[in-house]
Amino acid sequence: MTVQPHEVIAAVLRDVKAVVFDTDGVITDFARVHAAAWKTAFDALLAEHPPEDPGQRRPLSIRDDYLRYVDGKSRFAGAYAFLASRGLDPTDATVRAVAEHKERLFTERLREHGIDAYPGAVRLVRALRRAGMPRAAASASRHAHELLTRAEVLDLFDVLVDGGEAARLGLAGKPQPDLFLEAARGLGVPTARCAVVEDALAGVGAGRRGGFALVVGVNRAHDPDSEARLLEHAADIVVHDLAELLQEGVRR
Ligand SMILES: [Mg+2]
């Protein structure tokens, strides 16, 4: 009989009974495409309707504006928060128009490019499955089902709560914890025994508000500022790659 090295779950996850994963930026690497589509849509709007204060007319910065105001939130909440941050008082029609522009750009890019899951995320989710630990994916995006399917990882999750489901159930977006609470409910595990894995500041805050046992922040930007912000928003730990939540063991 050959002895094969295999991966076991790191100690930090051993006290929880289930894990809820955010999708974009945690499982699939489409967060960048969302960000780029938002940037194009917001920059077009700022050029067309420049704020009165010239200091507020600069294009959207993914690092400073997107991560702070938009990432992880529902489309309308994110669009409103960013435009308000530039001193604009957007009408519902403006918010809807910029969100629809972003949606068109996103759908075009979705069609043009393939979608990959992060290898470290796939390794972790598979290891959790082997260990019999229930797994959910939760996302404010109505595209989450399609993205997970195209990345060929949908079947690794027991439960998916996506933007369509959230709308149907009337769930509030992040930073409210509703999506994660619904995912934990679907897994049948109390939040106090569940971990949340999330890359957005709003999502880390949602995990904390929801009373989850462990909130793991994912710092895909690999920079110390992002790490500090995730910890400020009450992540318990921050990793760059989900494979850090594994350690090598020996299959017996
Ligand atoms: Mg995310």
Side-chain angles (χ1 to χ4, degrees):
M1 198 178 86
T2 50
V3 178
Q4 290 180 328
H6 86 133
E7 291 162 322
V8 297
I9 295 152
V12 69
L13 278 179
R14 279 189 216 139
D15 288 337
V16 300
K17 298 285 174 226
V19 184
V20 177
F21 293 88
D22 171 53
T23 305
D24 277 320
V26 170
I27 302 296
T28 52
D29 72 352
F30 235 55
R32 274 173 298 143
V33 182
H34 276 292
W38 271 121
K39 177 167 169 56
T40 305
F42 281 129
D43 288 351
L45 185 129
L46 287 170
E48 221 171 292
H49 304 283
E52 265 175 46
D53 175 359
Q56 303 276 47
R57 291 177 194 165
R58 66 190 178 283
L60 173 130
S61 150
I62 297 213
R63 218 182 110 126
D64 294 327
D65 299 314
Y66 179 76
L67 295 181
R68 187 175 301 244
Y69 299 113
V70 185
D71 192 24
K73 295 187 186 168
S74 76
R75 293 177 300 151
F76 296 146
Y80 185 87
F82 171 66
L83 296 174
S85 80
R86 291 302 175 90
L88 299 167
D89 183 18
T91 61
D92 286 357
T94 306
V95 167
R96 231 186 347 264
V98 74
E100 279 166 12
H101 186 192
K102 179 263 171 177
E103 204 58 16
R104 283 196 303 279
L105 294 163
F106 179 80
T107 311
E108 275 167 32
R109 288 168 199 190
L110 187 61
R111 244 180 266 129
E112 287 164 16
H113 303 278
I115 298 153
D116 291 320
Y118 287 105
V122 175
R123 283 167 55 196
L124 174 65
V125 177
R126 288 211 172 113
L128 293 171
R129 183 169 67 173
R130 274 199 304 274
M133 210 187 274
R135 303 143 323 274
S139 170
S141 169
R142 291 166 307 144
H143 301 288
H145 188 280
E146 185 185 355
L147 292 172
L148 291 171
T149 303
R150 290 179 60 168
E152 301 180 348
V153 291
L154 183 66
D155 63 347
L156 294 178
F157 297 94
D158 303 299
V159 165
L160 167 65
V161 180
D162 66 5
E165 183 79 346
R168 197 176 63 75
L169 297 173
L171 303 179
K174 301 166 195 174
Q176 298 308 318
D178 297 31
L179 285 167
F180 293 151
L181 296 178
E182 178 61 22
R185 198 193 59 75
L187 294 175
V189 177
T191 57
R193 306 306 302 278
C194 239
V196 162
V197 185
E198 174 56 72
D199 67 320
L201 298 178
V204 165
R208 181 53 63 218
R209 278 183 198 185
F212 283 81
L214 177 73
V215 179
V216 179
V218 184
N219 176 15
R220 296 288 184 199
H222 287 249
D223 73 276
D225 281 2
S226 303
E227 177 153 346
R229 281 188 211 160
L230 287 163
L231 291 169
E232 261 168 43
H233 280 72
D236 294 301
I237 55 169
V238 174
V239 297
H240 294 127
D241 187 312
L242 297 195
E244 290 167 45
L245 297 171
L246 292 168
Q247 59 192 46
E248 205 143 277
V250 173
R251 193 188 294 277
R252 291 178 196 285

